[in-house]
Amino acid sequence: MAAPESGDGNNGAARMVTLISSDNTRFEVEAAAASLSQTLQLTILDGGGGGGDGIPLPNVDSATLSKVLEYCIKHAPAAANGGAPNATAVDRAELERFDNEFVNIDQSVLYSLIMAAHNLEIEGLQSLVAKKVADMIKGKSPMEIRRTLGFPDPTPEEQAEMNAHMLEYGWAYE
Amino acid sequence: MAILVAATVVAVAGGGGGTGRRSFRLIGLFFYYRPTRLTASVYSSDSGDWVDSVATLFVPSTISFIQSPSTLVGNAIYWLLNDAKTIIQFDLESQSLASVEQPRRGRGHADVDRRRHAFPDHSRLIVPADNGYFGLAILSERSIKFWERETQLSGAATWLLRRTVQLDRVLADLELEEQTSPLRIVGFAEENNVIFVSADDCIFMIHVESMQFKKVKIEISHRRLNAMTRRRRHPLPENDDLLAEILLCLPPHPSSLPHAGLVCKRWRRLIIDPHFVRRFSARHQTPPLLGFFRTLDDEAQSRLPASQFSLRGWRGRMPTLNWTLFDCRHRLVLYGFAPKFRITEFVVTNPMTGHRRRILNTEHDDRVVAAAVVAAEGEISFHRSFRLVVLLSPD
């Protein structure tokens, strides 16, 4: 797998941990990157994930996990600086550019990603995807929201209920 | 018989008894003949009663209807009378009424007495001043003068001209220098401290503190459904925590939560949950700038589609023609329903959540001449306490 480009600290042997996806793919990453996950951080602090052991993640498939780790590796240096108060504007702009591109992906991947971020407790990633989904539905009518998010077409009962609530609210709705 | 000349709504801090419902007050101003005078009446959402204030303000002439929306500065509500001479002040704490004379126009001013009395004055606006008191913004030709009320050591209060803003540069920057019709102040967003000025068919806004200017795009078009979105998609995971995270990111526009609430039962349950509503309010502490309105001579103008403020479907299906938009403040909008020129009921609504409260105007067999709404500081909630101020005037 791709090594992180940002080798700034160069403290020789950064501690590595191994994560195992639900489909048994092994990912080796720096402990600092994996620690963006609150869930993993505790295990890693306890000395887990080192050597040949690896930390099994039964809820996350390899496609999703590689995406999650891409985010973690990119954000780890800034997170290590404690929210990076001394980060330059260039660094922040670069992260923002990365984030924007990062969520420019297929909806199914987006949903797996937010679920994984939620389970692994990676706050930044969760907000990033939440914001993206919110942007997809903002300004849309209830029906458009349903279609955008892949809800099945409403049953006649659901439709009747929507109409009743719509009347109650009085909002325009096509 | 008295005539309601103005009404306003105010939220009350700590009201609602911890139920998450915020109490509010509705304040009405009433006008009486012989002698010509104004009184105020306050409706409290907690008690559900109207209470007449003891304050009486004698006025020199008949007040028929106050067209300008009220402005809340500090703890007082201000109305600008159409005579371009008087400001009416109602102090919410002491419940006292007072009138304040506007700055006199200097000699040689071309705009003296333009016979615009029958219409809202499009050149004047009450704004908060730097010193915490109220001030007055006066637009003439291509400049805006900002006046401040200052109390001297002797106790006498005078008007001081604080600043004159020339608009020529601004109009040039906004590529509006070619405009031919006179500039008009068309609205004021109190909480954002933004003045809206119209020039021909274009509107620009002025942020009072920073003196920044921006053109306003008025949107009236409806977003069309993109055929792409019809494709069946992978469904969103059914997790309420995640759903909350997503919906918290929605912009606090009037349509956001009501639309989300119509998507399905699970979503509806979430958006009416008081805990979620509190989080949403906390996330969006600064109310969004939705637009502005003028009473009577202009229609409500908004940066959002007008249909989002539609009164269609309200209980009883009252004809829209009989509704008057009185005031908006603190995320609350105040309407009056007036079949046959008499306000029979007020409706205070929160456009962001769709919550509404009806207040029957049975106490006062009067004609409303003005009304305003006010919410208290500190507490953030979508269910607001408010006060309504109503001004009355006889037939």
Side-chain angles (χ1 to χ4, degrees):
Chain A
M1 60 167 285
E5 300 166 348
S6 50
D8 56 332
N10 234 356
N11 45 355
R15 190 182 158 201
M16 304 298 280
V17 291
T18 304
L19 307 174
I20 306 163
S21 68
S22 61
D23 44 357
N24 269 324
T25 310
R26 299 173 76 88
F27 291 83
E28 203 184 0
V29 280
E30 285 188 22
S35 294
L36 252 60
S37 151
Q38 297 289 312
T39 320
L40 291 178
Q41 193 179 37
L42 294 174
T43 317
I44 292 166
L45 283 176
D46 283 345
D53 290 350
I55 305 170
L57 301 172
N59 294 328
V60 190
D61 62 35
S62 58
T64 310
L65 186 56
S66 70
K67 195 81 184 149
V68 168
L69 293 177
E70 188 189 334
Y71 174 89
C72 291
I73 288 165
K74 189 74 188 178
H75 279 261
N81 287 341
N86 53 353
T88 65
V90 178
D91 287 342
R92 279 199 299 270
E94 162 59 17
L95 268 189
E96 204 172 302
R97 188 201 58 79
F98 170 86
D99 283 354
N100 284 337
E101 251 171 53
F102 184 76
V103 289
N104 203 3
I105 45 174
D106 195 73
Q107 259 177 35
S108 58
V109 185
L110 214 50
Y111 298 158
S112 322
L113 209 52
I114 195 172
M115 214 51 226
H118 184 64
N119 291 331
L120 291 169
E121 295 176 75
I122 307 169
E123 208 186 315
L125 181 57
Q126 184 179 307
S127 333
L128 178 65
V129 183
K131 178 82 178 60
K132 171 72 179 178
V133 179
D135 284 346
M136 283 158 43
I137 61 176
K138 75 177 176 195
K140 292 194 167 146
S141 74
M143 210 53 197
E144 288 168 342
I145 295 174
R146 286 184 69 108
R147 286 178 184 139
T148 304
L149 297 185
F151 281 65
D153 285 339
T155 62
E157 297 85 63
E158 277 178 314
Q159 186 67 58
E161 200 186 350
M162 274 168 96
N163 291 346
H165 280 280
M166 187 198 74
L167 272 181
E168 170 68 20
Y169 274 111
W171 303 109
Y173 149 64
E174 42 190 291
Chain B
M1 164 166 192
I3 294 179
L4 180 63
V5 291
T8 201
V9 187
V10 214
V12 180
T19 58
R21 288 206 172 257
R22 187 154 186 199
S23 46
F24 59 82
R25 279 174 288 175
L26 201 69
I27 299 125
L29 280 178
F30 301 81
F31 176 83
Y32 296 87
Y33 278 120
R34 285 189 291 274
T36 47
R37 62 197 193 275
L38 285 170
T39 65
S41 191
V42 179
Y43 169 90
S44 156
S45 65
D46 288 337
S47 66
D49 289 330
W50 287 91
V51 176
D52 292 335
S53 145
V54 289
T56 298
L57 176 70
F58 294 96
V59 288
S61 54
T62 307
I63 295 168
S64 53
F65 188 81
I66 300 174
Q67 279 109 341
S68 316
S70 64
T71 305
L72 176 77
V73 182
N75 217 8
I77 299 169
Y78 297 87
W79 282 279
L80 212 51
L81 290 196
N82 309 333
D83 64 1
K85 279 191 282 196
T86 321
I87 294 167
I88 303 290
Q89 177 192 45
F90 180 73
D91 190 312
L92 291 163
E93 205 157 299
S94 64
Q95 306 254 308
S96 58
L97 272 171
S99 75
V100 179
E101 203 173 309
Q102 295 181 23
R104 288 211 195 102
R105 295 170 206 256
R107 261 176 294 151
H109 262 271
D111 60 342
V112 177
D113 192 16
R114 276 226 181 122
R115 310 251 177 264
R116 49 157 71 104
H117 295 176
F119 303 101
D121 191 334
H122 284 298
S123 64
R124 289 166 178 248
L125 188 70
I126 297 165
V127 291
D130 295 339
N131 58 8
Y133 291 103
F134 67 101
L136 197 62
I138 302 182
L139 174 75
S140 72
E141 300 297 320
R142 293 199 167 198
S143 69
I144 296 185
K145 290 187 166 64
F146 287 89
W147 294 80
E148 258 179 45
R149 191 77 178 154
E150 198 167 270
T151 311
Q152 289 165 338
L153 286 175
S154 63
T158 52
W159 287 101
L160 275 180
L161 180 60
R162 265 290 166 229
R163 141 173 91 162
T164 303
V165 179
Q166 297 298 338
L167 297 175
D168 289 321
R169 267 283 307 282
V170 178
L171 291 168
D173 286 352
L174 299 173
E175 294 168 350
L176 290 172
E177 66 267 60
E178 299 293 316
Q179 56 89 27
T180 49
S181 58
L183 297 178
R184 307 191 325 159
I185 292 177
V186 290
F188 179 55
E190 209 170 73
E191 279 151 273
N192 308 73
N193 216 354
V194 168
I195 299 175
F196 293 89
V197 176
S198 78
D200 284 344
D201 52 356
C202 177
I203 286 167
F204 63 93
M205 52 195 227
I206 306 169
H207 189 261
V208 176
E209 270 157 50
S210 64
M211 278 298 141
Q212 283 183 328
F213 300 83
K214 204 173 139 193
K215 250 192 213 177
V216 179
K217 212 172 107 202
I218 296 186
E219 267 183 56
I220 26 177
S221 64
H222 254 299
R223 190 187 298 259
R224 282 278 140 221
L225 181 64
N226 184 346
M228 287 295 288
T229 61
R230 284 181 176 277
R231 230 175 43 201
R232 191 57 62 89
R233 293 273 171 83
H234 192 84
L236 190 71
E238 292 211 357
N239 178 307
D240 282 354
D241 290 342
L242 283 182
L243 184 59
E245 287 304 318
I246 292 166
L247 298 184
L248 282 173
C249 295
L250 286 175
H253 286 162
S255 55
S256 288
L257 293 187
H259 277 184
L262 289 174
V263 165
C264 66
K265 258 189 192 151
R266 192 166 68 93
W267 286 38
R268 185 152 49 248
R269 223 175 22 242
L270 180 74
I271 69 141
I272 61 170
D273 174 45
H275 179 65
F276 174 80
V277 172
R278 264 196 300 280
R279 285 181 71 196
F280 192 79
S281 310
R283 178 80 66 102
H284 306 288
Q285 295 226 358
T286 309
L289 182 56
L290 300 176
F292 57 88
F293 74 91
R294 294 292 298 192
T295 47
L296 295 183
D297 72 334
D298 283 343
E299 283 176 22
Q301 300 206 31
S302 166
R303 299 168 71 185
L304 297 154
S307 55
Q308 291 185 355
F309 294 96
S310 167
L311 302 174
R312 263 191 314 132
W314 282 25
R315 215 168 297 161
R317 309 275 173 85
M318 299 155 170
T320 351
L321 266 181
N322 295 332
W323 285 97
T324 304
L325 184 53
F326 273 104
D327 199 18
C328 58
R329 171 173 301 116
H330 298 156
R331 309 180 191 200
L332 299 169
V333 180
L334 171 65
Y335 297 95
F337 178 61
K340 297 176 190 162
F341 305 109
R342 208 181 81 75
I343 303 280
T344 54
E345 88 178 73
F346 290 106
V347 175
V348 173
T349 151
N350 183 330
M352 269 188 269
T353 59
H355 290 108
R356 276 196 290 271
R357 170 107 169 218
R358 298 170 70 194
I359 299 141
L360 295 176
N361 186 35
T362 49
E363 292 285 307
H364 307 99
D365 188 22
D366 306 312
R367 280 187 58 187
V368 179
V369 284
V373 61
V374 189
E377 291 169 66
E379 195 184 336
I380 310 152
S381 164
F382 280 103
H383 309 91
R384 314 208 93 179
S385 303
F386 61 82
R387 282 188 286 180
L388 174 65
V389 181
V390 189
L391 285 173
L392 293 185
S393 157
D395 272 321

